[in-house]
Amino acid sequence: MLQTQQLIAGQVWSTAFKNRAVFGLLIGIGLLLAYAAVTGWVSLQQQNETGRKYQQQARQDWLSNPDKHPHRMAHYGHFAFRPKAPLSVFDFGMESFLGNTIYLEAHKQNSVNFSEAGFSTGLLRFGEISMAMVLQLLLPLMLFFLGFGTVATDRETGTLKLLLSQGVSWGQLLVGKSLGLMAVMLSLYGPVMVVTGLLWFGLQGGRVSADQTIRLLLLMGAYFLYLAFFCVIAVLVSARSKTAKTALVSLIGLWLMLTLVLPRASQALGSYLYPAPSKARFLADIQADVLKEGDSHNPNDPHYKGLKDSLLTAYGVDSVGQLPFNYSGFVMAEGEKISAHLYNDHFGRLLSIYDRQNRFAKAMAFVDPYLAIRNLSMALSGTDFASYVDFQRQAEQYRYEMAQKMNDLQIHFISNKKLGPTDKPYQIDRKHWEEVPDFSYQSPGVESVFGHEAISLLAFVFWAGLLWFVMVRFTKTLTAL
């Protein structure tokens, strides 16, 4: 039984490589993969080196500030950089469009900026050539070109009738043809994964973590399953078609639908069903809510006037100058707490809208396996939207703690007495700047991928079950004519 399937698989393999055009196709895709590997390596090295350089420069600039008022330091601000994950050499994901740098300052929550798309021409919007893109789009197309005639050609030449009359079952035929096409697929997929593993290992300097190893293994398994789906689909469509020409047209139409039409339609429909506010509207809403709460820089603001009155009552004094701490620093800390709380509320609601949009698009993975592998690939490579949001949140937490640390220094080390016209401005020793630690991004573990991409993983199980069911069904309904 198994020997029959091996013979059929061997026939598919030998037939594929008898065609010289296949070698041309493999060389063309191989060159594209080589280009993607080189550009991915160079881009990752350059961006990580740039990030490390300017993160150190920002830290040095922060520490080299002279003695000054801590509130001026809070406004001086800091920069946070997110290093590219090792597997981003394989899948660039959204990084080129979302950016990896953010400026942190008191009273203001800036968004991540300085993306590649912002500095490049519009050509970037046509897509980048990454190894993931080649495996997701071009290799399935190549498998369809190789697999369209696996059964249909045998039917046209009469070979199919001979095979079935000699005792070969439809199940053995479909499994054998699928295994043969998978063997051809492995001739390109295998070297790509070997190159990816070598680049991944080299980028980490040999210090490989368990988390990154699990990510790489899952990535390899997911892509193998994804490409195997297309092998089976090609054989099933070929088996169902009367002629090889019909099978080819059907498979090309299916490829266009799965890789171009459905992904774009699901994204557009998700945005239509769950509309998100524009950036200008988002920022204006936050500013409006902050003004409702009060202006911490305005001594006559009703909210902060009430706060002042309660402090004077609690400490039994007549003026803020008699308080045992710096009143302005206390007000700044209160304002920072209120504005950060409002920003986090609005940001949470915005993410909730994006989450509904993304869930809609992810659910389409049950219709289109390309969406499942695209989302899972970006998540495992650390280049998806969830990774961007995680960086934004860690940077905001750092910004808040930095601003509150400066407010705390003002409260405890700046006098409450008003300066005279000839007095030197208040300032504190520069050694206090070292009390603010440098920003260091901690990427989430691989377990977070299972949470964000549960739908994509379930879609893989669904597609495996669906194709198995269709194959079993076909073994009972297909005919040799």
Side-chain angles (χ1 to χ4, degrees), residues 419-432:
L419 289 170
T422 58
D423 291 337
K424 184 180 177 182
Y426 289 128
Q427 57 187 26
I428 63 174
D429 195 293
R430 57 181 292 184
K431 68 180 182 182
H432 291 289

Side-chain angles (χ1 to χ4, degrees), residues 265-319:
S266 62
Q267 184 183 8
L269 196 54
S271 300
Y272 174 77
L273 292 173
Y274 306 105
S278 65
K279 183 177 180 179
R281 174 68 182 275
F282 174 72
L283 295 176
D285 288 346
I286 294 175
Q287 186 61 26
D289 282 354
V290 170
L291 291 176
K292 285 179 187 174
E293 291 291 335
D295 183 358
S296 59
H297 289 78
N298 179 7
N300 297 319
D301 181 272
H303 174 83
Y304 292 96
K305 186 174 184 305
L307 179 69
K308 181 179 71 174
D309 292 341
S310 64
L311 280 175
L312 295 180
T313 303
Y315 282 88
V317 294
D318 299 327
S319 68

Side-chain angles (χ1 to χ4, degrees), residues 23-334:
F23 286 102
L25 205 58
L26 289 175
I27 291 171
I29 293 181
L31 289 174
L32 269 179
L33 285 166
Y35 170 79
V38 171
T39 54
W41 170 274
V42 171
S43 171
L44 192 148
Q45 291 278 45
Q46 286 180 343
Q47 290 196 33
N48 274 354
E49 181 59 33
T50 302
R52 278 194 295 272
K53 175 184 174 183
Y54 287 107
Q55 185 74 69
Q56 292 170 359
Q57 183 67 50
R59 178 64 178 174
Q60 188 178 349
D61 290 344
W62 171 270
L63 294 177
S64 62
N65 270 275
D67 299 346
K68 64 169 65 172
H69 196 290
H71 194 65
R72 288 182 60 198
M73 278 300 284
H75 279 290
Y76 178 80
H78 200 10
F79 278 95
F81 294 84
R82 183 168 75 105
K84 288 170 76 74
L87 277 174
S88 63
V89 71
F90 174 78
D91 191 340
F92 304 159
M94 300 181 179
E95 286 198 336
S96 298
F97 301 92
L98 297 178
N100 55 13
T101 307
I102 185 169
Y103 175 58
L104 310 170
E105 57 182 322
H107 315 310
K108 191 174 180 182
Q109 292 84 4
N110 297 310
S111 59
V112 180
N113 215 326
F114 304 107
S115 67
E116 283 295 306
F119 291 104
S120 66
T121 65
L123 288 176
L124 185 61
R125 302 189 183 280
F126 288 96
E128 298 171 292
I129 299 177
S130 67
M131 287 189 281
M133 187 274 278
V134 175
L135 292 187
Q136 290 170 10
L137 296 177
L138 299 186
L139 206 50
L141 183 61
M142 188 195 80
L143 291 172
F144 279 177
F145 274 118
L146 293 175
F148 77 91
T150 47
V151 181
T153 302
D154 289 345
R155 178 179 281 117
E156 283 186 294
T157 58
T159 311
L160 180 60
K161 192 185 293 182
L162 287 175
L163 280 172
L164 296 174
S165 65
Q166 290 177 359
V168 177
S169 68
W170 270 108
Q172 290 172 325
L173 188 69
L174 295 178
V175 172
K177 296 282 187 183
S178 300
L179 290 176
L181 203 53
M182 287 180 201
V184 178
M185 174 266 286
L186 282 174
S187 67
L188 197 57
Y189 169 74
V192 172
M193 285 295 112
V194 170
V195 170
T196 300
L198 291 174
L199 292 175
W200 167 84
F201 187 77
L203 286 167
Q204 298 176 92
R207 297 184 296 276
V208 178
S209 66
D211 182 84
Q212 284 295 322
T213 304
I214 294 171
R215 285 175 181 269
L216 179 65
L217 294 176
L218 287 174
L219 201 67
M220 289 179 172
Y223 271 95
F224 175 79
L225 272 179
Y226 171 71
L227 294 172
F229 291 163
F230 280 85
C231 293
V232 176
I233 290 171
V235 172
L236 291 177
V237 171
S238 181
R240 193 69 179 174
S241 303
K242 295 295 182 185
T243 64
K245 183 179 178 182
T246 306
L248 180 60
V249 172
S250 301
L251 286 171
I252 290 177
L254 186 62
W255 180 82
L256 288 172
M257 182 63 69
L258 295 179
T259 58
L260 296 177
V261 178
L262 282 177
R264 185 70 189 97
S266 62
Q267 184 183 8
L269 196 54
S271 300
Y272 174 77
L273 292 173
Y274 306 105
S278 65
K279 183 177 180 179
R281 174 68 182 275
F282 174 72
L283 295 176
D285 288 346
I286 294 175
Q287 186 61 26
D289 282 354
V290 170
L291 291 176
K292 285 179 187 174
E293 291 291 335
D295 183 358
S296 59
H297 289 78
N298 179 7
N300 297 319
D301 181 272
H303 174 83
Y304 292 96
K305 186 174 184 305
L307 179 69
K308 181 179 71 174
D309 292 341
S310 64
L311 280 175
L312 295 180
T313 303
Y315 282 88
V317 294
D318 299 327
S319 68
V320 294
Q322 296 173 325
L323 289 171
F325 55 83
N326 184 274
Y327 173 71
S328 295
F330 185 86
V331 169
M332 292 300 162
E334 176 71 7

